[in-house]
PDB file of all heavy atoms in Angstrom:
ATOM      1  N   LEU A 216      10.954  11.240  12.818  1.00 89.00           N
ATOM      2  CA  LEU A 216      12.403  11.452  12.866  1.00 89.00           C
ATOM      3  C   LEU A 216      12.757  12.939  12.940  1.00 89.00           C
ATOM      4  O   LEU A 216      13.757  13.316  13.547  1.00 89.00           O
ATOM      5  CB  LEU A 216      13.061  10.814  11.640  1.00 89.00           C
ATOM      6  CG  LEU A 216      13.270   9.301  11.707  1.00 89.00           C
ATOM      7  CD1 LEU A 216      13.679   8.752  10.353  1.00 89.00           C
ATOM      8  CD2 LEU A 216      14.328   8.937  12.756  1.00 89.00           C
ATOM      9  N   LYS A 217      11.933  13.770  12.309  1.00 89.00           N
ATOM     10  CA  LYS A 217      12.199  15.214  12.310  1.00 89.00           C
ATOM     11  C   LYS A 217      11.435  15.946  13.413  1.00 89.00           C
ATOM     12  O   LYS A 217      11.411  17.171  13.451  1.00 89.00           O
ATOM     13  CB  LYS A 217      11.838  15.797  10.941  1.00 89.00           C
ATOM     14  CG  LYS A 217      12.724  15.273   9.824  1.00 89.00           C
ATOM     15  CD  LYS A 217      12.312  15.821   8.459  1.00 89.00           C
ATOM     16  CE  LYS A 217      13.215  15.277   7.365  1.00 89.00           C
ATOM     17  NZ  LYS A 217      12.785  15.743   6.014  1.00 89.00           N
ATOM     18  N   GLU A 218      10.790  15.156  14.288  1.00 88.00           N
ATOM     19  CA  GLU A 218      10.071  15.681  15.454  1.00 88.00           C
ATOM     20  C   GLU A 218       9.005  16.702  15.057  1.00 88.00           C
ATOM     21  O   GLU A 218       8.833  17.744  15.688  1.00 88.00           O
ATOM     22  CB  GLU A 218      11.060  16.267  16.469  1.00 88.00           C
ATOM     23  CG  GLU A 218      12.039  15.230  16.995  1.00 88.00           C
ATOM     24  CD  GLU A 218      12.919  15.761  18.117  1.00 88.00           C
ATOM     25  OE1 GLU A 218      12.647  16.864  18.605  1.00 88.00           O
ATOM     26  OE2 GLU A 218      13.867  15.056  18.502  1.00 88.00           O
ATOM     27  N   ARG A 219       8.283  16.371  13.998  1.00 93.00           N
ATOM     28  CA  ARG A 219       7.122  17.156  13.582  1.00 93.00           C
ATOM     29  C   ARG A 219       5.862  16.370  13.901  1.00 93.00           C
ATOM     30  O   ARG A 219       5.890  15.130  13.955  1.00 93.00           O
ATOM     31  CB  ARG A 219       7.182  17.447  12.078  1.00 93.00           C
ATOM     32  CG  ARG A 219       8.259  18.440  11.676  1.00 93.00           C
ATOM     33  CD  ARG A 219       8.131  18.828  10.202  1.00 93.00           C
ATOM     34  NE  ARG A 219       8.607  17.776   9.322  1.00 93.00           N
ATOM     35  CZ  ARG A 219       7.845  16.918   8.659  1.00 93.00           C
ATOM     36  NH1 ARG A 219       6.522  16.961   8.784  1.00 93.00           N
ATOM     37  NH2 ARG A 219       8.365  16.009   7.871  1.00 93.00           N
ATOM     38  N   PRO A 220       4.733  17.034  14.091  1.00 93.00           N
ATOM     39  CA  PRO A 220       3.494  16.301  14.373  1.00 93.00           C
ATOM     40  C   PRO A 220       3.032  15.508  13.164  1.00 93.00           C
ATOM     41  O   PRO A 220       3.329  15.862  12.021  1.00 93.00           O
ATOM     42  CB  PRO A 220       2.496  17.411  14.727  1.00 93.00           C
ATOM     43  CG  PRO A 220       3.054  18.644  14.109  1.00 93.00           C
ATOM     44  CD  PRO A 220       4.550  18.501  14.130  1.00 93.00           C
ATOM     45  N   ILE A 221       2.319  14.430  13.421  1.00 89.00           N
ATOM     46  CA  ILE A 221       1.761  13.618  12.337  1.00 89.00           C
ATOM     47  C   ILE A 221       0.243  13.749  12.326  1.00 89.00           C
ATOM     48  O   ILE A 221      -0.385  13.926  13.370  1.00 89.00           O
ATOM     49  CB  ILE A 221       2.157  12.121  12.466  1.00 89.00           C
ATOM     50  CG1 ILE A 221       1.593  11.513  13.759  1.00 89.00           C
ATOM     51  CG2 ILE A 221       3.658  11.965  12.405  1.00 89.00           C
ATOM     52  CD1 ILE A 221       1.826  10.019  13.870  1.00 89.00           C
ATOM     53  N   LYS A 222      -0.330  13.691  11.136  1.00 89.00           N
ATOM     54  CA  LYS A 222      -1.780  13.731  10.988  1.00 89.00           C
ATOM     55  C   LYS A 222      -2.325  12.310  11.044  1.00 89.00           C
ATOM     56  O   LYS A 222      -1.885  11.450  10.281  1.00 89.00           O
ATOM     57  CB  LYS A 222      -2.163  14.390   9.659  1.00 89.00           C
ATOM     58  CG  LYS A 222      -1.769  15.860   9.566  1.00 89.00           C
ATOM     59  CD  LYS A 222      -2.146  16.439   8.208  1.00 89.00           C
ATOM     60  CE  LYS A 222      -1.749  17.902   8.101  1.00 89.00           C
ATOM     61  NZ  LYS A 222      -2.101  18.456   6.762  1.00 89.00           N
ATOM     62  N   VAL A 223      -3.263  12.082  11.936  1.00 89.00           N
ATOM     63  CA  VAL A 223      -3.857  10.761  12.119  1.00 89.00           C
ATOM     64  C   VAL A 223      -5.336  10.863  11.770  1.00 89.00           C
ATOM     65  O   VAL A 223      -6.128  11.436  12.533  1.00 89.00           O
ATOM     66  CB  VAL A 223      -3.669  10.250  13.563  1.00 89.00           C
ATOM     67  CG1 VAL A 223      -4.240   8.839  13.695  1.00 89.00           C
ATOM     68  CG2 VAL A 223      -2.198  10.283  13.960  1.00 89.00           C
ATOM     69  N   PHE A 224      -5.709  10.328  10.618  1.00 87.00           N
ATOM     70  CA  PHE A 224      -7.071  10.485  10.128  1.00 87.00           C
ATOM     71  C   PHE A 224      -8.030   9.475  10.766  1.00 87.00           C
ATOM     72  O   PHE A 224      -7.624   8.407  11.234  1.00 87.00           O
ATOM     73  CB  PHE A 224      -7.096  10.370   8.602  1.00 87.00           C
ATOM     74  CG  PHE A 224      -6.388  11.509   7.921  1.00 87.00           C
ATOM     75  CD1 PHE A 224      -5.134  11.342   7.349  1.00 87.00           C
ATOM     76  CD2 PHE A 224      -6.972  12.771   7.872  1.00 87.00           C
ATOM     77  CE1 PHE A 224      -4.480  12.400   6.731  1.00 87.00           C
ATOM     78  CE2 PHE A 224      -6.335  13.838   7.274  1.00 87.00           C
ATOM     79  CZ  PHE A 224      -5.086  13.653   6.696  1.00 87.00           C
ATOM     80  N   ASN A 225      -9.298   9.845  10.746  1.00 85.00           N
ATOM     81  CA  ASN A 225     -10.368   9.088  11.402  1.00 85.00           C
ATOM     82  C   ASN A 225     -10.025   8.816  12.864  1.00 85.00           C
ATOM     83  O   ASN A 225     -10.406   7.785  13.419  1.00 85.00           O
ATOM     84  CB  ASN A 225     -10.661   7.771  10.673  1.00 85.00           C
ATOM     85  CG  ASN A 225     -12.067   7.271  10.952  1.00 85.00           C
ATOM     86  OD1 ASN A 225     -12.997   8.057  11.080  1.00 85.00           O
ATOM     87  ND2 ASN A 225     -12.220   5.957  11.052  1.00 85.00           N
ATOM     88  N   HIS A 226      -9.267   9.748  13.459  1.00 82.00           N
ATOM     89  CA  HIS A 226      -8.876   9.667  14.873  1.00 82.00           C
ATOM     90  C   HIS A 226      -8.151   8.365  15.193  1.00 82.00           C
ATOM     91  O   HIS A 226      -8.222   7.852  16.317  1.00 82.00           O
ATOM     92  CB  HIS A 226     -10.099   9.847  15.772  1.00 82.00           C
ATOM     93  CG  HIS A 226     -10.842  11.129  15.482  1.00 82.00           C
ATOM     94  ND1 HIS A 226     -10.416  12.363  15.933  1.00 82.00           N
ATOM     95  CD2 HIS A 226     -11.964  11.370  14.730  1.00 82.00           C
ATOM     96  CE1 HIS A 226     -11.248  13.304  15.491  1.00 82.00           C
ATOM     97  NE2 HIS A 226     -12.185  12.740  14.763  1.00 82.00           N
ATOM     98  N   GLY A 227      -7.465   7.817  14.181  1.00 80.00           N
ATOM     99  CA  GLY A 227      -6.680   6.604  14.365  1.00 80.00           C
ATOM    100  C   GLY A 227      -7.482   5.323  14.237  1.00 80.00           C
ATOM    101  O   GLY A 227      -6.929   4.225  14.324  1.00 80.00           O
ATOM    102  N   ASN A 228      -8.769   5.442  14.020  1.00 84.00           N
ATOM    103  CA  ASN A 228      -9.628   4.254  13.961  1.00 84.00           C
ATOM    104  C   ASN A 228      -9.665   3.697  12.531  1.00 84.00           C
ATOM    105  O   ASN A 228     -10.667   3.820  11.816  1.00 84.00           O
ATOM    106  CB  ASN A 228     -11.042   4.608  14.440  1.00 84.00           C
ATOM    107  CG  ASN A 228     -11.945   3.387  14.516  1.00 84.00           C
ATOM    108  OD1 ASN A 228     -11.470   2.265  14.695  1.00 84.00           O
ATOM    109  ND2 ASN A 228     -13.246   3.604  14.363  1.00 84.00           N
ATOM    110  N   MET A 229      -8.549   3.109  12.115  1.00 82.00           N
ATOM    111  CA  MET A 229      -8.450   2.509  10.785  1.00 82.00           C
ATOM    112  C   MET A 229      -7.578   1.270  10.852  1.00 82.00           C
ATOM    113  O   MET A 229      -6.709   1.138  11.719  1.00 82.00           O
ATOM    114  CB  MET A 229      -7.880   3.499   9.762  1.00 82.00           C
ATOM    115  CG  MET A 229      -8.805   4.656   9.431  1.00 82.00           C
ATOM    116  SD  MET A 229      -8.383   5.470   7.854  1.00 82.00           S
ATOM    117  CE  MET A 229      -6.871   6.305   8.296  1.00 82.00           C
ATOM    118  N   LEU A 230      -7.810   0.360   9.915  1.00 85.00           N
ATOM    119  CA  LEU A 230      -7.010  -0.854   9.765  1.00 85.00           C
ATOM    120  C   LEU A 230      -6.426  -0.883   8.362  1.00 85.00           C
ATOM    121  O   LEU A 230      -7.138  -0.607   7.388  1.00 85.00           O
ATOM    122  CB  LEU A 230      -7.873  -2.107   9.977  1.00 85.00           C
ATOM    123  CG  LEU A 230      -8.390  -2.385  11.394  1.00 85.00           C
ATOM    124  CD1 LEU A 230      -9.510  -3.414  11.337  1.00 85.00           C
ATOM    125  CD2 LEU A 230      -7.250  -2.920  12.263  1.00 85.00           C
ATOM    126  N   ARG A 231      -5.140  -1.238   8.257  1.00 89.00           N
ATOM    127  CA  ARG A 231      -4.509  -1.321   6.953  1.00 89.00           C
ATOM    128  C   ARG A 231      -3.727  -2.631   6.833  1.00 89.00           C
ATOM    129  O   ARG A 231      -3.033  -3.042   7.767  1.00 89.00           O
ATOM    130  CB  ARG A 231      -3.551  -0.143   6.724  1.00 89.00           C
ATOM    131  CG  ARG A 231      -4.252   1.176   6.438  1.00 89.00           C
ATOM    132  CD  ARG A 231      -4.961   1.161   5.089  1.00 89.00           C
ATOM    133  NE  ARG A 231      -5.648   2.417   4.805  1.00 89.00           N
ATOM    134  CZ  ARG A 231      -6.905   2.679   5.095  1.00 89.00           C
ATOM    135  NH1 ARG A 231      -7.629   1.766   5.755  1.00 89.00           N
ATOM    136  NH2 ARG A 231      -7.455   3.822   4.774  1.00 89.00           N
ATOM    137  N   ASP A 232      -3.834  -3.238   5.657  1.00 91.00           N
ATOM    138  CA  ASP A 232      -3.117  -4.479   5.378  1.00 91.00           C
ATOM    139  C   ASP A 232      -1.754  -4.118   4.783  1.00 91.00           C
ATOM    140  O   ASP A 232      -1.528  -4.246   3.581  1.00 91.00           O
ATOM    141  CB  ASP A 232      -3.941  -5.334   4.408  1.00 91.00           C
ATOM    142  CG  ASP A 232      -3.551  -6.794   4.466  1.00 91.00           C
ATOM    143  OD1 ASP A 232      -2.492  -7.096   5.024  1.00 91.00           O
ATOM    144  OD2 ASP A 232      -4.314  -7.625   3.935  1.00 91.00           O
ATOM    145  N   PHE A 233      -0.848  -3.639   5.630  1.00 93.00           N
ATOM    146  CA  PHE A 233       0.475  -3.206   5.176  1.00 93.00           C
ATOM    147  C   PHE A 233       1.245  -4.394   4.604  1.00 93.00           C
ATOM    148  O   PHE A 233       1.396  -5.431   5.265  1.00 93.00           O
ATOM    149  CB  PHE A 233       1.254  -2.584   6.332  1.00 93.00           C
ATOM    150  CG  PHE A 233       0.685  -1.277   6.817  1.00 93.00           C
ATOM    151  CD1 PHE A 233      -0.070  -1.220   7.977  1.00 93.00           C
ATOM    152  CD2 PHE A 233       0.902  -0.110   6.106  1.00 93.00           C
ATOM    153  CE1 PHE A 233      -0.585  -0.015   8.436  1.00 93.00           C
ATOM    154  CE2 PHE A 233       0.387   1.103   6.553  1.00 93.00           C
ATOM    155  CZ  PHE A 233      -0.365   1.147   7.713  1.00 93.00           C
ATOM    156  N   THR A 234       1.763  -4.232   3.372  1.00 95.00           N
ATOM    157  CA  THR A 234       2.420  -5.329   2.670  1.00 95.00           C
ATOM    158  C   THR A 234       3.819  -4.899   2.244  1.00 95.00           C
ATOM    159  O   THR A 234       3.978  -3.888   1.558  1.00 95.00           O
ATOM    160  CB  THR A 234       1.612  -5.749   1.437  1.00 95.00           C
ATOM    161  OG1 THR A 234       0.238  -5.947   1.809  1.00 95.00           O
ATOM    162  CG2 THR A 234       2.162  -7.040   0.840  1.00 95.00           C
ATOM    163  N   TYR A 235       4.816  -5.664   2.652  1.00 96.00           N
ATOM    164  CA  TYR A 235       6.202  -5.290   2.395  1.00 96.00           C
ATOM    165  C   TYR A 235       6.545  -5.444   0.917  1.00 96.00           C
ATOM    166  O   TYR A 235       6.082  -6.362   0.241  1.00 96.00           O
ATOM    167  CB  TYR A 235       7.133  -6.139   3.245  1.00 96.00           C
ATOM    168  CG  TYR A 235       8.550  -5.612   3.313  1.00 96.00           C
ATOM    169  CD1 TYR A 235       8.841  -4.420   3.961  1.00 96.00           C
ATOM    170  CD2 TYR A 235       9.598  -6.305   2.722  1.00 96.00           C
ATOM    171  CE1 TYR A 235      10.135  -3.930   4.034  1.00 96.00           C
ATOM    172  CE2 TYR A 235      10.899  -5.831   2.787  1.00 96.00           C
ATOM    173  CZ  TYR A 235      11.166  -4.636   3.445  1.00 96.00           C
ATOM    174  OH  TYR A 235      12.447  -4.150   3.500  1.00 96.00           O
TER     175      TYR A 235
END
Side-chain angles (χ1 to χ4, degrees):
L216 281 169
K217 295 178 180 177
E218 299 187 10
R219 289 188 284 101
I221 63 174
K222 295 179 180 179
V223 183
F224 293 105
N225 204 36
H226 305 282
N228 185 27
M229 291 200 289
L230 291 164
R231 285 292 180 268
D232 201 345
F233 292 102
T234 310
Y235 194 68

